[in-house]
Amino acid sequence: MKKNILLLLTLVLSIVLAACGNEDKDKKEITVATSPGPYSELFLKGIKPELEDKGYTVKDKDFTELLQADVALQEGSVDVNVDQHKAYMDTFNKERDAKLTNITKIPTVPAQIFSNKNKDIKSIKSGDTIAIPQDPSNTARAYRLLEKAGWIKLDADKDDITITKKDISENPKNLKIKTMDSANIPRILDEVDYAVIPGSIVYASKVDPSKGLLKEDLVDDLYLQVVVNGENKDEQWVKDIKEAYQSERFKKVLDKENKDDYWKIPKQ
């Protein structure tokens, strides 16, 4: 009798372990962490239908802050996020001892210089005030954009994603560069001479992108990415998300959305 009970318990345990091992392999429900902005909307318009055709149920969970979305991704309450670039992800991993992984680059809206007071970048004057984002990765891209405009010069050997105020080698017009929360920049356009606004904030605040005066040149680490928990990177559902971004259906959705070269398409 004891032998039979032991065999039965062993069999039950084997079944449970096998089921756990196949959980991700047979996973058919995907929860995406969404944020207000173009990337989540593009996922829901162009990627969700493609995944549903493959038998997946796609749910979305809203987050007001990207940090909260990444914490949820790390803890496993969501499966995927498409609202961050690699530079942001790397910073999160370092600060939180996390193992988030980027799977593929996706279409990205570049940051631009805007102004409610000036019609072009040539109107820059000595002592003008420029508002730029305060978070490190977006601050770095803003400084590079100011250099592209010809307003400042940066140390030549500085990496594009780690630039700080200390790396400005020349500021001939003594520009006052003011850092602030990205979401607040559109609200103070009347109070500054120029401002650098990331693409997601342009979209969320309904700033007209066609009024941008200069677009950034995107480097690889600043393209938005499909991001998952590192332990899931080889799962089939992750591969299917990547394939969905390369599908004909998604290309058609993107063509419809990409007016006035709004999106920059990455080379895979």
Side-chain angles (χ1 to χ4, degrees):
M1 179 66 72
K2 288 182 178 179
K3 276 188 176 181
N4 289 339
I5 293 174
L6 183 60
L7 286 171
L8 181 60
L9 289 173
T10 302
L11 178 61
V12 170
L13 181 59
S14 298
I15 292 171
V16 170
L17 290 174
C20 291
N22 287 328
E23 184 178 354
D24 277 342
K25 183 179 179 181
D26 300 329
K27 181 180 177 67
K28 283 298 179 180
E29 182 175 292
I30 298 171
T31 302
V32 55
T34 56
S35 303
Y39 308 108
S40 290
E41 287 199 14
L42 195 60
F43 183 97
L44 296 176
K45 286 180 181 179
I47 302 302
K48 181 179 178 179
E50 186 74 11
L51 293 172
E52 288 176 336
D53 280 355
K54 290 186 176 182
Y56 291 97
T57 298
V58 180
K59 296 183 177 180
D60 55 281
K61 188 173 182 179
D62 291 332
F63 293 86
T64 56
E65 295 181 5
L66 183 53
L67 177 61
Q68 297 172 344
D70 273 359
V71 170
L73 192 56
Q74 180 187 13
E75 294 175 346
S77 59
V78 299
D79 300 307
V80 61
N81 174 270
V82 296
D83 290 286
Q84 64 192 296
H85 46 59
K86 186 176 182 296
Y88 185 96
M89 182 197 73
D90 288 344
T91 300
F92 177 84
N93 281 343
K94 183 178 180 180
E95 293 178 350
R96 298 275 176 154
D97 193 27
K99 295 181 179 179
L100 304 188
T101 302
N102 56 307
I103 300 302
T104 185
K105 292 180 288 186
I106 62 176
T108 300
V109 182
Q112 293 195 70
I113 294 176
F114 289 87
S115 177
N116 280 355
K117 296 182 178 180
N118 300 288
K119 293 182 178 180
D120 54 52
I121 61 173
K122 295 179 180 179
S123 300
I124 191 78
K125 300 181 296 295
S126 181
D128 274 356
T129 300
I130 319 295
I132 68 172
Q134 67 183 6
D135 56 291
S137 59
N138 283 322
T139 298
R141 67 200 295 193
Y143 282 131
R144 188 62 76 190
L145 185 52
L146 299 188
E147 183 181 53
K148 181 180 178 181
W151 297 347
I152 63 172
K153 285 190 177 181
L154 301 166
D155 290 340
D157 59 348
K158 192 65 179 180
D159 185 273
D160 278 352
I161 62 171
T162 59
I163 298 167
T164 68
K165 186 176 182 179
K166 295 179 181 179
D167 300 306
I168 298 175
S169 58
E170 293 182 32
N171 182 5
K173 292 187 178 294
N174 294 312
L175 301 178
K176 299 172 185 175
I177 302 174
K178 183 178 182 181
T179 59
M180 62 177 61
D181 188 297
S182 297
N184 292 330
I185 295 178
R187 303 183 189 128
I188 54 88
L189 278 174
D190 289 332
E191 302 170 23
V192 296
D193 298 292
Y194 292 91
V196 175
I197 310 179
S200 57
I201 303 300
V202 170
Y203 183 92
S205 60
K206 295 182 170 33
V207 172
D208 185 351
S210 67
K211 293 184 178 180
L213 305 180
L214 186 67
K215 291 181 180 180
E216 70 176 324
D217 298 321
L218 283 167
V219 297
D220 279 351
D221 281 357
L222 294 180
Y223 273 96
L224 273 285
Q225 309 268 348
V226 173
V227 175
V228 300
N229 193 309
E231 65 186 18
N232 296 324
K233 64 184 179 65
D234 296 319
E235 298 298 333
Q236 185 59 48
W237 59 270
V238 176
K239 296 174 183 177
D240 287 338
I241 292 175
K242 182 176 180 179
E243 288 179 4
Y245 272 101
Q246 299 165 354
S247 68
E248 286 302 316
R249 173 183 290 184
F250 179 70
K251 289 177 183 176
K252 289 179 181 178
V253 171
L254 186 60
D255 286 344
K256 186 177 180 181
E257 296 288 325
N258 200 18
K259 298 176 181 178
D260 301 318
D261 198 28
Y262 181 65
W263 297 87
K264 290 298 180 184
I265 316 301
K267 295 179 180 178
Q268 301 292 348

